[in-house]
Amino acid sequence: AQTVTQSQPEMSVQEAETVTLSCTYDTSESDYYLFWYKQPPSRQMILVIRQEAYKQQNATENRFSVNFQKAAKSFSLKISDSQLGDAAMYFCAYRDDRGSNYQLIWGAGTKLIIKP
Amino acid sequence: EAQVTQNPRYLITVTGKKLTVTCSQNMNHEYMSWYRQDPGLGLRQIYYSMNVEVTDKGDVPEGYKVSRKEKRNFPLILESPSPNQTSLYFCASSFLSAGVGSPLHFGNGTRLTVT
């Protein structure tokens, strides 16, 4: 069964600096998608970035980028120029079309603290 | 505005009193699902639906029911809530035609407390 592991329950970073959140996953599939979602204190789940396994180029969205290492089954999120509004829980998630339920498999989350 | 509307936002109830959490989306998504979020466990899927009248169990379906009579609505029903169902619940939807890369759109969550 597919699993997603986030080994850092909590991370902190100084405002304006760069932080990297780790995520590893396990799957026997070759085609799948990986996602990072942000959950601020408002509880809303917000898509940060997504990566298709077949694309070698790492996805980027403004200050957010990923380091996707398919062979190592690693999918880390880098946040550059951290801002106070980046403080949130960050969840890594995996999805493939194996079976029929299209569900997202989630990691346990990493709480990101931004120090002013 | 494209959105998933989930109500109520907070709900406190007692053991055994039936309740329904509503979910509605206005994006014509075929796929809808319910997740529960518990500390240290991430989100776990309760039920999902691929289209009208097509529903199936996720990983943690015990104690829950769903229905999909209309494409836009996917209510979550707890017939006899118990304290172990105290959790944060999310409804989510997406297109099926765009494949598994189609991102899930989430409601704002329902914080349920069962005493």
mmCIF file of all heavy atoms in Angstrom, chain A residues 60-79:
data_model
loop_
_atom_site.group_PDB
_atom_site.id
_atom_site.type_symbol
_atom_site.label_atom_id
_atom_site.label_comp_id
_atom_site.label_asym_id
_atom_site.label_seq_id
_atom_site.Cartn_x
_atom_site.Cartn_y
_atom_site.Cartn_z
ATOM 1 N N THR A 60 7.709 24.591 -9.773
ATOM 2 C CA THR A 60 7.922 25.809 -8.999
ATOM 3 C C THR A 60 6.670 26.668 -9.080
ATOM 4 O O THR A 60 5.968 26.677 -10.100
ATOM 5 C CB THR A 60 9.120 26.634 -9.523
ATOM 6 O OG1 THR A 60 8.837 27.039 -10.868
ATOM 7 C CG2 THR A 60 10.401 25.826 -9.506
ATOM 8 N N GLU A 61 6.389 27.357 -7.990
ATOM 9 C CA GLU A 61 5.283 28.313 -7.914
ATOM 10 C C GLU A 61 5.761 29.482 -7.076
ATOM 11 O O GLU A 61 5.708 29.450 -5.851
ATOM 12 C CB GLU A 61 4.040 27.677 -7.273
ATOM 13 C CG GLU A 61 3.335 26.653 -8.098
ATOM 14 C CD GLU A 61 2.534 27.261 -9.244
ATOM 15 O OE1 GLU A 61 2.275 28.479 -9.231
ATOM 16 O OE2 GLU A 61 2.175 26.493 -10.158
ATOM 17 N N ASN A 62 6.268 30.497 -7.759
ATOM 18 C CA ASN A 62 6.755 31.707 -7.075
ATOM 19 C C ASN A 62 7.845 31.324 -6.063
ATOM 20 O O ASN A 62 8.886 30.811 -6.454
ATOM 21 C CB ASN A 62 5.593 32.445 -6.416
ATOM 22 C CG ASN A 62 4.552 32.858 -7.430
ATOM 23 O OD1 ASN A 62 4.876 33.400 -8.474
ATOM 24 N ND2 ASN A 62 3.284 32.582 -7.141
ATOM 25 N N ARG A 63 7.614 31.523 -4.771
ATOM 26 C CA ARG A 63 8.645 31.248 -3.767
ATOM 27 C C ARG A 63 8.711 29.774 -3.369
ATOM 28 O O ARG A 63 9.570 29.377 -2.567
ATOM 29 C CB ARG A 63 8.380 32.092 -2.518
ATOM 30 C CG ARG A 63 8.452 33.594 -2.740
ATOM 31 C CD ARG A 63 8.238 34.363 -1.444
ATOM 32 N NE ARG A 63 6.889 34.175 -0.898
ATOM 33 C CZ ARG A 63 6.607 33.446 0.167
ATOM 34 N NH1 ARG A 63 7.563 32.830 0.832
ATOM 35 N NH2 ARG A 63 5.350 33.349 0.597
ATOM 36 N N PHE A 64 7.813 28.982 -3.903
ATOM 37 C CA PHE A 64 7.738 27.568 -3.540
ATOM 38 C C PHE A 64 8.296 26.709 -4.677
ATOM 39 O O PHE A 64 7.936 26.896 -5.834
ATOM 40 C CB PHE A 64 6.288 27.172 -3.267
ATOM 41 C CG PHE A 64 5.666 27.911 -2.119
ATOM 42 C CD1 PHE A 64 5.051 29.146 -2.318
ATOM 43 C CD2 PHE A 64 5.697 27.386 -0.844
ATOM 44 C CE1 PHE A 64 4.485 29.829 -1.252
ATOM 45 C CE2 PHE A 64 5.123 28.058 0.218
ATOM 46 C CZ PHE A 64 4.516 29.286 0.011
ATOM 47 N N SER A 65 9.143 25.776 -4.319
ATOM 48 C CA SER A 65 9.672 24.851 -5.310
ATOM 49 C C SER A 65 9.839 23.485 -4.658
ATOM 50 O O SER A 65 9.864 23.374 -3.423
ATOM 51 C CB SER A 65 10.998 25.343 -5.879
ATOM 52 O OG SER A 65 11.968 25.446 -4.853
ATOM 53 N N VAL A 66 9.931 22.460 -5.494
ATOM 54 C CA VAL A 66 10.110 21.116 -4.961
ATOM 55 C C VAL A 66 11.406 20.527 -5.478
ATOM 56 O O VAL A 66 11.932 20.936 -6.515
ATOM 57 C CB VAL A 66 8.929 20.186 -5.325
ATOM 58 C CG1 VAL A 66 7.634 20.720 -4.732
ATOM 59 C CG2 VAL A 66 8.818 19.991 -6.824
ATOM 60 N N ASN A 67 11.908 19.571 -4.716
ATOM 61 C CA ASN A 67 13.022 18.737 -5.150
ATOM 62 C C ASN A 67 12.476 17.315 -5.230
ATOM 63 O O ASN A 67 12.300 16.646 -4.207
ATOM 64 C CB ASN A 67 14.187 18.833 -4.176
ATOM 65 C CG ASN A 67 15.389 18.027 -4.661
ATOM 66 O OD1 ASN A 67 15.393 17.461 -5.767
ATOM 67 N ND2 ASN A 67 16.422 17.958 -3.842
ATOM 68 N N PHE A 68 12.169 16.896 -6.446
ATOM 69 C CA PHE A 68 11.551 15.600 -6.668
ATOM 70 C C PHE A 68 12.625 14.604 -7.089
ATOM 71 O O PHE A 68 13.260 14.768 -8.135
ATOM 72 C CB PHE A 68 10.474 15.719 -7.750
ATOM 73 C CG PHE A 68 9.867 14.416 -8.177
ATOM 74 C CD1 PHE A 68 9.396 13.508 -7.245
ATOM 75 C CD2 PHE A 68 9.759 14.103 -9.525
ATOM 76 C CE1 PHE A 68 8.822 12.316 -7.646
ATOM 77 C CE2 PHE A 68 9.195 12.907 -9.935
ATOM 78 C CZ PHE A 68 8.727 12.017 -9.001
ATOM 79 N N GLN A 69 12.825 13.602 -6.269
ATOM 80 C CA GLN A 69 13.802 12.555 -6.554
ATOM 81 C C GLN A 69 13.037 11.235 -6.672
ATOM 82 O O GLN A 69 12.750 10.571 -5.656
ATOM 83 C CB GLN A 69 14.842 12.471 -5.420
ATOM 84 C CG GLN A 69 15.597 13.752 -5.163
ATOM 85 C CD GLN A 69 16.581 14.046 -6.270
ATOM 86 O OE1 GLN A 69 17.130 13.133 -6.893
ATOM 87 N NE2 GLN A 69 16.803 15.328 -6.530
ATOM 88 N N LYS A 70 12.686 10.869 -7.905
ATOM 89 C CA LYS A 70 11.792 9.726 -8.105
ATOM 90 C C LYS A 70 12.415 8.418 -7.627
ATOM 91 O O LYS A 70 11.749 7.611 -6.980
ATOM 92 C CB LYS A 70 11.398 9.604 -9.586
ATOM 93 C CG LYS A 70 10.284 8.603 -9.828
ATOM 94 C CD LYS A 70 9.809 8.640 -11.268
ATOM 95 C CE LYS A 70 8.633 7.684 -11.465
ATOM 96 N NZ LYS A 70 8.127 7.717 -12.866
ATOM 97 N N ALA A 71 13.664 8.205 -7.930
ATOM 98 C CA ALA A 71 14.306 6.954 -7.537
ATOM 99 C C ALA A 71 14.387 6.824 -6.017
ATOM 100 O O ALA A 71 14.204 5.731 -5.462
ATOM 101 C CB ALA A 71 15.705 6.869 -8.150
ATOM 102 N N ALA A 72 14.624 7.932 -5.363
ATOM 103 C CA ALA A 72 14.716 7.934 -3.903
ATOM 104 C C ALA A 72 13.350 8.057 -3.253
ATOM 105 O O ALA A 72 13.231 7.964 -2.025
ATOM 106 C CB ALA A 72 15.620 9.066 -3.438
ATOM 107 N N LYS A 73 12.309 8.304 -4.059
ATOM 108 C CA LYS A 73 10.935 8.498 -3.562
ATOM 109 C C LYS A 73 10.918 9.593 -2.513
ATOM 110 O O LYS A 73 10.411 9.435 -1.400
ATOM 111 C CB LYS A 73 10.368 7.181 -3.032
ATOM 112 C CG LYS A 73 10.217 6.139 -4.133
ATOM 113 C CD LYS A 73 9.669 4.825 -3.625
ATOM 114 C CE LYS A 73 9.597 3.832 -4.782
ATOM 115 N NZ LYS A 73 9.210 2.491 -4.361
ATOM 116 N N SER A 74 11.457 10.718 -2.920
ATOM 117 C CA SER A 74 11.560 11.879 -2.053
ATOM 118 C C SER A 74 10.935 13.083 -2.740
ATOM 119 O O SER A 74 11.106 13.280 -3.957
ATOM 120 C CB SER A 74 13.029 12.151 -1.726
ATOM 121 O OG SER A 74 13.183 13.365 -1.049
ATOM 122 N N PHE A 75 10.261 13.913 -1.969
ATOM 123 C CA PHE A 75 9.520 15.051 -2.550
ATOM 124 C C PHE A 75 9.537 16.191 -1.532
ATOM 125 O O PHE A 75 8.588 16.399 -0.785
ATOM 126 C CB PHE A 75 8.092 14.610 -2.861
ATOM 127 C CG PHE A 75 7.232 15.660 -3.521
ATOM 128 C CD1 PHE A 75 7.584 16.206 -4.746
ATOM 129 C CD2 PHE A 75 6.042 16.079 -2.931
ATOM 130 C CE1 PHE A 75 6.776 17.162 -5.363
ATOM 131 C CE2 PHE A 75 5.235 17.029 -3.542
ATOM 132 C CZ PHE A 75 5.598 17.571 -4.754
ATOM 133 N N SER A 76 10.611 16.942 -1.483
ATOM 134 C CA SER A 76 10.737 17.995 -0.480
ATOM 135 C C SER A 76 10.245 19.331 -1.028
ATOM 136 O O SER A 76 10.278 19.580 -2.242
ATOM 137 C CB SER A 76 12.190 18.122 -0.009
ATOM 138 O OG SER A 76 13.028 18.433 -1.091
ATOM 139 N N LEU A 77 9.790 20.177 -0.130
ATOM 140 C CA LEU A 77 9.270 21.504 -0.473
ATOM 141 C C LEU A 77 10.220 22.566 0.054
ATOM 142 O O LEU A 77 10.537 22.572 1.249
ATOM 143 C CB LEU A 77 7.888 21.722 0.145
ATOM 144 C CG LEU A 77 7.275 23.113 -0.028
ATOM 145 C CD1 LEU A 77 6.900 23.358 -1.495
ATOM 146 C CD2 LEU A 77 6.054 23.263 0.869
ATOM 147 N N LYS A 78 10.655 23.444 -0.824
ATOM 148 C CA LYS A 78 11.517 24.546 -0.430
ATOM 149 C C LYS A 78 10.732 25.843 -0.492
ATOM 150 O O LYS A 78 10.104 26.150 -1.511
ATOM 151 C CB LYS A 78 12.749 24.642 -1.328
ATOM 152 C CG LYS A 78 13.749 25.699 -0.860
ATOM 153 C CD LYS A 78 15.057 25.654 -1.632
ATOM 154 C CE LYS A 78 14.996 26.420 -2.920
ATOM 155 N NZ LYS A 78 16.327 26.561 -3.562
ATOM 156 N N ILE A 79 10.770 26.579 0.606
ATOM 157 C CA ILE A 79 10.119 27.882 0.671
ATOM 158 C C ILE A 79 11.222 28.929 0.800
ATOM 159 O O ILE A 79 11.986 28.928 1.774
ATOM 160 C CB ILE A 79 9.150 27.987 1.866
ATOM 161 C CG1 ILE A 79 8.140 26.830 1.827
ATOM 162 C CG2 ILE A 79 8.431 29.332 1.853
ATOM 163 C CD1 ILE A 79 7.240 26.759 3.055
#
